[in-house]
Amino acid sequence: MRIALIGFMGSGKTTVGRRLSEMLEYSFIDLDEEIEKAAHASPAELFKLYGEGTFRSIESKVLEQLGAADADFVLACGGGVVEQARNREVLRKHFLTVWLDVPFGEVARRLSGESGRRPLWTESDGKAAQPISSHSSLENKNEVLYNRRQALYAECADLVYRCEEPEGHDASALHVYELIEQRGG
Ligand code: S3P
């Protein structure tokens, strides 16, 4: 079975996915790492050098290839994989797709100071500290992106794990494992 974890940046897809793959005895694949192998550049470098469009088209190609693979694995997707309709279609058709739905406040807490690796997280972008007013407008920008994507995640999720309380990634992985088991493997 191919399992894809989707969710916003900072929702724990990579850590939870790795743990989940161990529980299921599946291999683990990180979509951003596969993109990096294919393009010989990290997602952040691709954004910087060629722009988001180039990153998104490589992301789609790699996702399609994985969707066609005859193997058991857990795939941690990048948070923006749902931006493109063709990716949502691939996720619906070729994966059991699990949405890690973590409240905005929690992802914002986890991501503070993380924008170097995440070009679309704009709270702190490597520039000098911002005055409080501009901090809050950047946070709004992130929240707008988060809110807009919620519907896109919902559109392709077979299972939703809504993580209301902050909890460790091991506990989240166990909850996701149980959801998959309850669904009948
Ligand atoms: C992105 C999320 C990133 C990475 C790229 C774009 C996004 O992955 O794919 O920077 O559009 O949300 P993570 O969700 O693992 O941070």
Side-chain angles (χ1 to χ4, degrees):
M1 182 167 43
R2 292 174 296 267
I3 297 173
L5 296 189
I6 58 169
F8 201 71
M9 293 172 265
S11 59
K13 299 170 301 267
T14 301
T15 321
V16 172
R18 205 178 283 284
R19 187 74 198 94
L20 178 68
S21 70
E22 288 163 7
M23 289 172 174
L24 291 162
E25 298 186 351
Y26 282 12
S27 31
F28 173 75
I29 302 174
D30 183 90
L31 187 56
D32 280 346
E33 278 178 15
E34 295 304 303
I35 293 167
E36 181 160 355
K37 280 187 215 156
H40 305 289
S42 71
E45 286 163 345
L46 291 170
F47 266 76
K48 200 165 160 204
L49 293 172
Y50 310 109
E52 183 173 353
T54 299
F55 171 79
R56 295 286 171 218
S57 72
I58 301 168
E59 183 179 50
S60 290
K61 277 194 202 121
V62 176
L63 180 70
E64 259 165 44
Q65 283 162 6
L66 290 167
D70 182 16
D72 291 327
F73 59 88
V74 175
L75 175 70
C77 296
V81 75
V82 294
E83 290 283 356
Q84 303 213 72
R86 67 191 263 212
N87 294 353
R88 299 199 294 278
E89 174 93 6
V90 170
L91 287 168
R92 275 196 304 266
K93 266 200 189 156
H94 300 293
F95 290 86
L96 175 72
T97 299
V98 185
W99 174 18
L100 299 185
D101 183 13
V102 175
F104 179 75
E106 177 62 12
V107 299
R109 191 187 64 76
R110 293 181 191 173
L111 290 175
S112 77
E114 271 266 328
S115 65
R117 214 172 57 77
R118 290 184 163 97
L120 291 180
W121 181 258
T122 43
E123 186 190 12
S124 72
D125 55 6
K127 293 182 191 141
Q130 307 277 342
I132 288 174
S133 60
S134 85
H135 256 306
S136 62
S137 76
L138 287 170
E139 201 148 303
N140 286 344
K141 196 174 157 200
N142 292 324
E143 198 162 4
V144 168
L145 181 66
Y146 175 95
N147 288 332
R148 187 172 63 70
R149 284 185 178 171
Q150 291 295 95
L152 303 179
Y153 296 129
E155 195 186 310
C156 39
D158 296 298
L159 297 170
V160 183
Y161 177 56
R162 171 87 185 159
C163 186
E164 292 290 351
E165 301 290 324
E167 66 176 6
H169 287 126
D170 280 2
S172 298
L174 187 59
H175 287 129
V176 172
Y177 177 82
E178 285 166 358
L179 276 182
I180 293 170
E181 289 289 298
Q182 280 159 20
R183 192 181 177 274

